[in-house]
Amino acid sequence: MSLFGLFGKNTIHDPWLGEISHGFGKWKGNAAKIFDAESVEIRIPGDKNGPSSDAINNLKKLEGCYPSMKGELAKTLFEEHYKPGKEAFDSGEFGDLIDEYPIIESPEAIWPFVGVVRVWVNSYGNKGKIEIAYETEWDIEHTLGFVFENCKVIEFCGSVGP
C-alpha cells in the first residue's frame, strides 16, 4: 500500500443519503434527501466501512417523528425568530440593510420561507443528538438550528455553526 492510499476516501452512493465520503471518523455529503428536502448537507459518524448503525437508526427515528413535530418547530421559528425580526424591521431598526421582509401571518405559514440545509448526526460530538439547520428568507445572515434527542427538541439557536 502506498503512503497516499492511507489518505484515500471511501465513497458510498445511497438513495437516501446521496453520495457520502468518509474522512476523519465521519461520513459527509451534500445530497441527502431527508426532512422534506432534496439536497441537504449530511454528517454522520462511522468508520471506513460505513455510517454507524446507531447513528443511522437515530436519524431514521427522527425522520419518522419529524412530520408530527413540524407544528412545534414552526411555532418556535415564528415566535422566537420571525416575529422579533419583523418587529425590528417594522420599527426601522435595519435601516437600508433590508428592502422587504416577508409577511407571514401564522406559524403554519412559515414553511415556504424555511428550508433544511444541514443535518449533523451526533452533533458537536454528542452521541444521540441530531442538529437540523435551516436557512430562512427573512434572515440570510444566520442559519437557525434545532438540536433533537429521542425525537424531542432540546435546543433552538438563532445562529448555528457554519
Side-chain angles (χ1 to χ4, degrees), residues 109-126:
I110 208 159
W111 292 113
F113 302 92
V114 176
V116 175
V117 293
R118 182 180 71 233
V119 175
W120 287 353
V121 181
N122 290 5
S123 58
Y124 306 103
N126 296 310

Side-chain angles (χ1 to χ4, degrees), residues 54-93:
D54 286 344
I56 290 287
N57 290 337
N58 285 336
L59 184 60
K60 286 182 178 180
K61 181 179 174 186
L62 180 58
E63 191 168 42
C65 298
Y66 189 74
S68 67
M69 300 173 72
K70 285 185 78 172
E72 174 189 355
L73 303 178
K75 183 177 179 186
T76 299
L77 288 166
F78 186 76
E79 296 291 333
E80 294 187 29
H81 200 271
Y82 171 79
K83 281 176 66 175
K86 179 72 167 110
E87 289 168 6
F89 175 79
D90 289 345
S91 73
E93 190 174 318

Side-chain angles (χ1 to χ4, degrees), residues 3-157:
L3 178 60
F4 293 107
L6 294 174
F7 301 107
K9 289 190 174 182
N10 293 339
T11 299
I12 295 173
H13 300 275
D14 181 89
W16 184 50
L17 299 175
E19 182 177 297
I20 54 175
S21 298
H22 184 261
F24 301 103
K26 65 183 93 73
W27 288 84
K28 298 186 272 186
N30 291 307
K33 293 174 177 25
I34 54 178
F35 301 105
D36 301 329
E38 285 297 314
S39 187
V40 174
E41 177 190 330
I42 183 86
R43 289 188 189 179
I44 187 164
D47 61 24
K48 65 181 179 177
N49 296 315
S52 154
S53 60
D54 286 344
I56 290 287
N57 290 337
N58 285 336
L59 184 60
K60 286 182 178 180
K61 181 179 174 186
L62 180 58
E63 191 168 42
C65 298
Y66 189 74
S68 67
M69 300 173 72
K70 285 185 78 172
E72 174 189 355
L73 303 178
K75 183 177 179 186
T76 299
L77 288 166
F78 186 76
E79 296 291 333
E80 294 187 29
H81 200 271
Y82 171 79
K83 281 176 66 175
K86 179 72 167 110
E87 289 168 6
F89 175 79
D90 289 345
S91 73
E93 190 174 318
F94 296 137
D96 294 347
L97 297 174
I98 300 175
D99 294 333
E100 59 184 85
Y101 211 86
I103 306 297
I104 304 172
E105 299 290 335
S106 68
E108 298 79 27
I110 208 159
W111 292 113
F113 302 92
V114 176
V116 175
V117 293
R118 182 180 71 233
V119 175
W120 287 353
V121 181
N122 290 5
S123 58
Y124 306 103
N126 296 310
K127 189 173 182 181
K129 295 183 181 173
I130 298 172
E131 179 185 82
I132 300 178
Y134 299 85
E135 288 181 342
T136 69
E137 287 187 24
W138 67 86
D139 186 352
I140 61 171
E141 291 185 356
H142 299 96
T143 303
L144 314 180
F146 287 96
V147 176
F148 301 85
E149 186 172 30
N150 295 318
C151 288
K152 291 186 173 96
V153 173
I154 59 169
E155 183 180 348
F156 170 70
C157 183

